[in-house]
C-alpha cells in the first residue's frame, strides 16, 4: 500500500522547489552572459591578415561610389499599407521589389516611416518580413555585398527583440554575414558603413574586440564621404547626396563618441569624436549633453 504524503510534507516540498527555482533564477544570468566573446566569428578577428583594406588612394584616384540602396526617405512614398506591399511584391518578384519591401518593413519596425509597429510583437513581425524579403533577394543575387550587409544589419536589429539563446544566434549570424559581405567587396564603403552602424550597438562588455572593426570601418566611411563632398564642390548633381553623407558622418561621430563614453568609459576618446560635430548638425545638442559630462 502506498502512503499518501501529508499536507505538511507537500507544503515543505513546494517550498523547497520554489527555493531551488529562485536560486536558479539568480544563477542563470551569470551563466548566460559570461561567454559572449566566444560568439565572435574567428574570421572577423583575423580579417586584417587576409583582406586588403582600402586606402585613401582608392578614394582620391578611383571612381565615386554611389549607394545602391534606395533612399529611405522615399520608401514611404511607395506604399500606404502593408497590404499594398504584399500586392506590390506579387506583381513581379524582382530584386527591386523585394528590396523596397524589405526597407519598408525594416523602417516600420524602427518607427521611422509611420506608426505601424508600435509594440514589440509588431516590430518582430516587420523585421521577420524584412528578413524574408532579403533572403529572397540573396537567393537571386547571393554574391551582392551590399545586399548581404543589409541583411546582416536587419538580423542584428532582430536580435534586439528576442531573448537568450536566440539573441546570441541572431548576433552571431549578423557578424558572420557582415564578414562575408566585406570579404566579397573589401573596398565597398556602403558595406563598411552598414557594418559600423550595426556593430556600434553591440555591448562592449560582451564584445570588446569589435572596437577595432568599428574604428576601421569608420575610417573607410570618412574617406568615402570626403571624396563625395570634394566632388560635390564642382558637381551640382552630387550636392544633395554629399549633404546626406556629411550628416551621416556626424551621426557616426555621435554614435562612436557615445560608445566610448557609455560603453568603454573613455572620456577623452569620446570627446575627440563628439567635438567634431558642428552646431548646425542635428546631432550637436545630443553630443553637447555628453561633452558637458566629460
Amino acid at each position: 500500500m502506498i502512503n499518501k504524503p501529508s499536507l505538511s510534507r507537500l507544503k515543505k516540498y513546494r517550498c523547497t522547489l520554489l527555493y531551488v527555482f529562485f536560486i536558479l533564477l539568480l544563477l542563470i544570468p551569470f551563466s548566460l552572459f559570461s561567454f559572449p566573446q566566444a560568439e565572435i566569428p574567428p574570421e572577423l578577428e583575423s580579417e586584417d591578415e587576409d583582406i586588403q583594406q582600402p586606402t585613401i588612394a582608392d578614394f582620391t584616384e578611383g571612381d565615386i561610389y554611389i549607394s545602391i540602396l534606395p533612399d529611405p526617405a522615399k520608401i514611404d512614398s511607395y506604399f500606404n499599407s502593408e497590404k499594398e506591399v504584399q500586392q506590390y511584391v506579387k506583381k513581379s518578384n524582382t530584386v527591386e521589389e523585394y528590396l523596397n519591401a524589405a526597407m519598408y518593413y525594416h523602417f516600420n519596425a524602427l518607427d521611422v516611416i509611420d506608426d505601424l509597429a508600435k509594440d514589440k510583437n509588431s516590430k518582430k513581425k516587420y523585421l521577420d518580413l524584412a528578413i524574408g524579403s532579403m533572403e529572397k533577394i540573396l537567393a537571386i543575387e547571393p554574391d551582392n555585398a551590399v545586399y548581404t550587409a543589409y541583411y546582416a544589419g536587419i538580423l542584428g536589429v532582430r536580435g534586439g527583440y528576442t531573448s537568450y539563446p536566440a539573441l546570441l544566434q541572431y548576433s552571431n549570424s549578423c557578424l558572420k554575414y557582415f564578414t562575408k559581405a566585406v570579404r566579397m567587396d573589401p573596398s565597398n564603403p556602403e558595406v563598411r558603413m552598414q557594418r559600423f552602424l550595426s556593430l556600434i550597438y553591440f555591448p562592449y562588455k560582451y564584445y570588446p574586440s569589435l572596437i577595432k572593426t568599428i574604428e576601421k570601418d569608420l575610417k573607410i566611411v570618412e574617406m568615402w564621404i570626403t571624396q563625395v563632398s570634394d566632388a560635390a564642390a564642382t558637381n551640382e548633381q552630387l550636392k544633395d547626396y554629399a549633404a546626406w553623407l556629411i550628416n551621416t558622418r556626424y551621426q557616426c561621430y555621435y554614435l562612436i563618441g557615445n560608445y566610448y563614453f557609455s560603453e568603454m568609459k573613455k572620456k577623452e576618446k569620446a570627446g575627440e569624436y563628439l567635438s567634431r560635430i558642428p552646431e548646425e548638425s542635428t546631432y550637436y545638442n545630443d553630443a553637447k549633453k555628453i561633452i558637458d559630462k566629460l
Side-chain angles (χ1 to χ4, degrees):
M1 181 176 179
I2 300 175
N3 294 324
K4 294 182 179 179
S6 66
L7 183 61
S8 61
R9 286 179 64 193
L10 285 173
K11 286 182 178 179
K12 288 180 181 179
Y13 181 68
R14 185 174 62 182
C15 289
T16 301
L17 284 178
L18 288 173
Y19 177 76
V20 171
F21 180 68
F22 178 73
I23 294 298
L24 286 173
L25 284 178
L26 292 176
L27 293 176
I28 284 174
F30 293 99
S31 64
L32 293 185
F33 298 106
S34 60
F35 57 89
Q37 293 178 40
E39 293 295 320
I40 297 178
E43 59 267 27
L44 183 61
E45 297 281 18
S46 61
E47 185 180 275
D48 283 329
E49 298 174 11
D50 53 4
I51 291 182
Q52 172 126 15
Q53 302 298 320
T55 65
I56 189 65
D58 294 311
F59 294 96
T60 55
E61 301 170 8
D63 295 332
I64 295 174
Y65 178 84
I66 303 296
S67 172
I68 69 170
L69 290 177
D71 182 354
K74 295 179 181 178
I75 291 296
D76 61 334
S77 65
Y78 296 154
F79 316 107
N80 292 314
S81 68
E82 180 187 346
K83 188 175 181 180
E84 280 191 15
V85 183
Q86 294 170 347
Q87 292 173 344
Y88 172 78
V89 173
K90 285 180 181 179
K91 288 180 181 178
S92 59
N93 297 331
T94 66
V95 167
E96 181 182 0
E97 274 72 29
Y98 284 132
L99 185 58
N100 287 335
M103 292 192 76
Y104 180 81
Y105 290 135
H106 181 204
F107 283 93
N108 267 292
L110 300 177
D111 294 330
V112 173
I113 293 177
D114 53 37
D115 317 341
L116 290 179
K118 291 182 178 179
D119 57 71
K120 191 172 182 179
N121 288 331
S122 295
K123 290 177 185 291
K124 288 193 286 188
K125 170 189 171 184
Y126 280 102
L127 288 169
D128 287 340
L129 287 169
I131 289 170
S133 293
M134 289 308 301
E135 286 174 346
K136 290 175 181 176
I137 290 174
L138 293 179
I140 300 170
E141 294 193 27
D143 298 324
N144 187 298
V146 175
Y147 296 158
T148 300
Y150 190 60
Y151 176 61
I154 298 175
L155 289 174
V157 176
R158 181 63 177 83
Y161 293 97
T162 188
S163 56
Y164 181 86
L167 169 62
L168 292 182
Q169 292 170 353
Y170 276 112
S171 298
N172 197 34
S173 293
C174 169
L175 293 172
K176 286 184 176 180
Y177 274 100
F178 268 127
T179 302
K180 182 179 179 180
V182 170
R183 287 182 178 278
M184 288 178 182
D185 193 354
S187 298
N188 190 305
E190 189 172 17
V191 168
R192 300 299 187 126
M193 183 167 72
Q194 288 186 67
R195 186 166 70 168
F196 171 89
L197 291 173
S198 183
L199 299 194
I200 199 69
Y201 291 101
F202 277 60
Y204 175 76
K205 180 178 179 181
Y206 305 128
Y207 301 93
S209 63
L210 286 184
I211 187 60
K212 298 175 185 177
T213 303
I214 290 170
E215 286 273 14
K216 176 176 56 186
D217 288 346
L218 179 56
K219 288 178 182 177
I220 294 169
V221 170
E222 286 181 300
M223 289 189 289
W224 173 40
I225 295 173
T226 299
Q227 178 202 34
V228 176
S229 59
D230 287 349
T234 55
N235 187 335
E236 189 70 27
Q237 293 181 338
L238 287 174
K239 285 192 174 179
D240 288 344
Y241 187 61
W244 172 75
L245 280 178
I246 289 170
N247 189 57
T248 301
R249 174 166 59 191
Y250 298 144
Q251 177 191 11
C252 292
Y253 288 160
Y254 171 73
L255 290 172
I256 195 168
N258 183 56
Y259 187 86
Y260 270 114
F261 175 75
S262 60
E263 293 286 331
M264 299 180 67
K265 314 303 180 187
K266 292 188 176 182
K267 295 183 178 181
E268 185 176 345
K269 198 71 176 176
E272 177 186 326
Y273 283 103
L274 295 172
S275 61
R276 299 180 191 178
I277 303 174
E279 290 187 29
E280 62 268 21
S281 169
T282 54
Y283 298 96
Y284 176 77
N285 289 334
D286 288 331
K288 191 174 183 304
K289 289 177 184 178
I290 299 177
I291 289 174
D292 290 341
K293 297 177 183 178
L294 300 179

